[in-house]
Amino acid sequence: MNNKNAWKTYTEEDINGLERLNASYRKFLSDCKTERECTKEIIRRAEEAGYIDLDTCINEGKTIKSGDKLYAVNMNKSVALFNIGKRPISEGMNIIGAHIDSPRLDVKQNPLYEEGGMAYLDTHYYGGIKKYQWAALPLAIHGVIVKKDGTCVEVCVGEEDDDPVFCITDLLIHLSSKQMEKTGAKVIEGEQLDVVVGSIPLSDSEKNCVKENVLNILKKEYDIEEEDFVSAELEVVPAGKARELGFDRGMIMSYGQDDRVCAFTSLEAQLNVENPERTTCCLLVDKEEIGSVGATGMRSHFFENTVSEIINLMEEYSELKVRRCLKNSYMLSTDVNAGYDPMFAEVFDSKNASYCGNGVVFSKYTGSRGKSGSNDANAEYIAKIRNVMDNNNVVYQTAELGKVDAGGGGTIAYILSLYGMEVIDCGVAVLNMHAPWEIVSKADVYETEKCYRAFLREMI
Ligand code: MN
Ligand code: MN
């Protein structure tokens, strides 16, 4: 089987569409670096497209019918969008689901200290990272500090041209003879990922005077006390905007493309489908990088509860209808795959790898050590999808995440498959996955949106 390079198939019109979509994608990446920032932007775009808050419908006892567009928000960290189709909802929905959390460093609850004349914020990393990649880079801090009276202070420092940035220091090469002998996992260790946030002492204090100065600045800027860190969620992320990569500008380099490349294209597809046959649903969830846990992760009952609320406002409610709706649904678990990297060719089976520029990637299964933990999509379902993709001229490829026994990974696919629905992993090939700066092909962004749109509209 030969893979097709998507770039070779494009007309001028395609290129124009591709550039428009990717410009908007870069803006999304630059503006939305946390799950909360993504949620806010998703709601803004959904409302602009005529979606209304499901909570409002519930409170007003509004009847939901075909043609209605609804969104439901879970704790400002995940969102579900529904475009109610013509067919009865118990016949199933077409669902696409991505995650909006990305690997990063979370500020601890008691984080601020002074050492060696500098003030630091202590962090605990979130998700799977190569720790050494996060040192000696400009970093930004995004998040919220919630005060005891409930006031929520939003923080975003390090993104504007005249903002200060932050940094985790690395050891100079001159003194690194011991460090360079360590294994990659130990070059920089978890407790060394503390961020430098200040260096000027407060003139009239003696002890911890640099820390005191930082606290004074935080008091002035945000009206917060040191204790308020206890109820804060501050995320340290790479500072800077998404950029085009290469002389030909064919790729995008940015923080957080796992999985915002699929979140963005999923949202785009959901908003681009009008009057669907089957109800379309777009899930944009939190906590995938740490196992889809917690109230805002895919394993919570939020999605099931939301579907129940919708059915309750559509017709006479029964649990059986909810179960039938979920069982009869089709889903694309929209998450990224490992792009083939010739510099590390040994971890890929080149026949079953995803290549940047060869279109959207389908993975029948993920997992590791003999498909363990994977959702193995059914052949019948894959055949049906192939048909829809070919009818819509979508350039697609199939891939596994690396060689058998090289490692592995998972997505939210297995969680939705528990309802008995058909699910397959489908997303974008990424280079540098989980590094501060990840890379994708613009052509793949374009093909992926086309794929999701065709799936939502035509899977029946
Ligand atoms: Mn992912
Ligand atoms: Mn990931």
Side-chain angles (χ1 to χ4, degrees):
M1 280 194 300
N2 274 329
N3 275 331
K4 186 155 66 173
N5 186 295
W7 291 102
K8 292 182 182 168
T9 69
Y10 291 152
T11 60
E12 202 184 315
E13 196 189 327
D14 284 319
I15 296 289
N16 292 337
L18 176 152
E19 292 297 353
R20 257 199 317 278
L21 183 70
N22 277 281
S24 152
Y25 172 47
R26 284 200 303 282
K27 185 160 175 10
F28 179 77
L29 287 170
S30 303
D31 293 347
C32 305
K33 292 195 175 184
T34 67
E35 55 284 5
R36 285 176 189 266
E37 288 168 353
C38 287
T39 297
K40 211 177 211 179
E41 174 63 9
I42 292 159
I43 296 171
R44 189 193 68 76
R45 289 206 50 197
E47 286 181 343
E48 203 176 76
Y51 280 71
I52 55 171
D53 191 346
L54 178 62
D55 279 341
T56 314
C57 301
I58 295 170
N59 293 338
E60 295 173 1
K62 185 183 173 298
T63 308
I64 294 175
K65 53 184 191 319
S66 162
D68 285 346
K69 297 174 175 177
L70 308 155
Y71 70 84
V73 186
N74 187 9
M75 299 175 185
N76 301 318
K77 294 178 186 174
S78 47
V79 195
L81 298 105
F82 298 83
N83 189 344
I84 307 298
K86 296 172 199 152
R87 301 200 177 197
I89 198 163
S90 51
E91 286 183 20
M93 304 182 283
N94 290 348
I95 306 169
I96 46 180
H99 65 92
I100 51 177
D101 60 318
S102 293
R104 60 180 189 249
L105 311 170
D106 285 342
V107 172
K108 287 186 183 179
Q109 290 344 105
N110 181 16
L112 187 63
Y113 70 95
E114 177 174 338
E115 195 68 60
M118 284 175 288
Y120 291 86
L121 283 178
D122 200 339
T123 69
H124 192 142
Y125 63 93
Y126 173 96
I129 59 167
K130 289 181 170 180
K131 285 158 236 169
Y132 64 80
Q133 293 179 331
W134 293 73
L137 280 176
L139 298 168
I141 299 176
H142 294 231
V144 296
I145 303 164
V146 186
K147 297 199 282 183
K148 275 201 289 186
D149 66 0
T151 338
C152 179
V153 185
E154 291 190 25
V155 178
C156 179
V157 192
E159 301 295 352
E160 297 300 327
D161 285 343
D162 57 351
D163 271 1
V165 291
F166 308 93
C167 190
I168 291 159
T169 54
D170 196 357
L171 188 59
L172 63 165
I173 185 68
H174 316 68
L175 299 179
S176 292
S177 57
K178 275 239 172 73
Q179 188 198 31
M180 298 306 278
E181 286 166 12
K182 291 183 181 176
T183 58
K186 303 245 165 174
V187 168
I188 299 272
E189 298 197 53
E191 288 295 353
Q192 287 175 310
L193 294 172
D194 292 358
V195 185
V196 176
V197 296
S199 61
I200 303 179
L202 196 69
S203 55
D204 55 357
S205 82
E206 297 248 308
K207 229 175 120 231
N208 282 333
C209 46
V210 178
K211 174 183 167 179
E212 289 307 318
N213 194 31
V214 168
L215 281 172
N216 278 358
I217 293 166
L218 293 176
K219 176 78 190 165
K220 214 172 80 199
E221 294 272 321
Y222 304 109
D223 191 27
I224 59 155
E225 314 290 336
E226 186 173 8
E227 289 71 31
D228 292 324
F229 278 116
V230 168
S231 47
E233 285 177 355
L234 296 171
E235 304 181 9
V236 180
V237 297
K241 290 182 174 17
R243 309 283 293 266
E244 292 172 302
L245 184 145
F247 287 118
D248 58 8
R249 300 173 180 262
M251 300 174 116
I252 289 175
M253 185 169 192
S254 170
Y255 166 67
Q257 300 198 76
D258 172 7
D259 184 31
R260 295 190 187 119
V261 66
C262 297
F264 173 81
T265 44
S266 295
L267 175 66
E268 198 70 26
Q270 172 75 17
L271 300 182
N272 281 336
V273 171
E274 294 289 351
N275 305 313
E277 276 297 312
R278 277 156 68 95
T279 294
T280 69
C281 168
C282 174
L283 299 174
L284 299 158
V285 297
D286 183 29
K287 298 284 185 282
E288 192 276 342
E289 295 295 357
I290 58 168
S292 298
V293 293
T296 56
M298 195 64 233
R299 282 158 77 176
S300 94
H301 290 192
F302 167 68
F303 172 58
E304 197 181 313
N305 292 346
T306 303
V307 172
S308 304
E309 294 283 7
I310 288 176
I311 291 179
N312 185 47
L313 292 178
M314 285 182 86
E315 44 198 77
E316 197 181 337
Y317 177 82
S318 82
E319 195 192 321
L320 188 61
K321 285 181 184 167
V322 177
R323 288 173 186 270
R324 282 186 180 155
C325 167
L326 295 171
K327 176 201 156 270
N328 292 329
S329 289
Y330 295 134
M331 192 211 185
L332 294 182
S333 164
T334 60
D335 206 342
V336 296
N337 205 301
Y340 177 80
D341 187 336
M343 298 300 123
F344 302 97
E346 67 280 5
V347 300
F348 297 94
D349 165 16
S350 59
K351 309 183 299 310
N352 289 287
S354 57
Y355 292 81
C356 289
N358 283 8
V360 63
V361 188
F362 285 95
S363 299
K364 187 176 187 303
Y365 43 83
T366 57
S368 55
R369 301 176 314 281
K371 299 190 179 181
S372 176
S374 87
N375 151 65
D376 203 346
N378 289 312
E380 292 86 344
Y381 179 53
I382 302 177
K384 210 179 180 80
I385 292 177
R386 281 174 62 202
N387 195 38
V388 171
M389 294 302 122
D390 288 342
N391 290 342
N392 287 277
N393 297 316
V394 175
V395 181
Y396 69 91
Q397 51 186 329
T398 61
E400 299 193 9
L401 193 112
K403 260 187 187 163
V404 176
D405 289 341
T411 66
I412 61 169
Y414 75 96
I415 304 163
L416 278 296
S417 71
L418 295 172
Y419 294 111
M421 71 173 75
E422 300 271 21
V423 185
I424 187 169
D425 281 293
C426 173
V428 176
V430 175
L431 301 177
N432 285 357
M433 197 194 293
H434 284 206
W437 297 90
E438 303 173 313
I439 298 168
V440 306
S441 162
K442 283 182 182 176
D444 296 339
V445 175
Y446 185 59
E447 294 304 321
T448 299
E449 192 277 331
K450 257 167 70 183
C451 158
Y452 296 168
R453 193 158 22 105
F455 172 88
L456 290 178
R457 201 178 49 222
E458 292 181 23
M459 283 295 284
I460 286 165

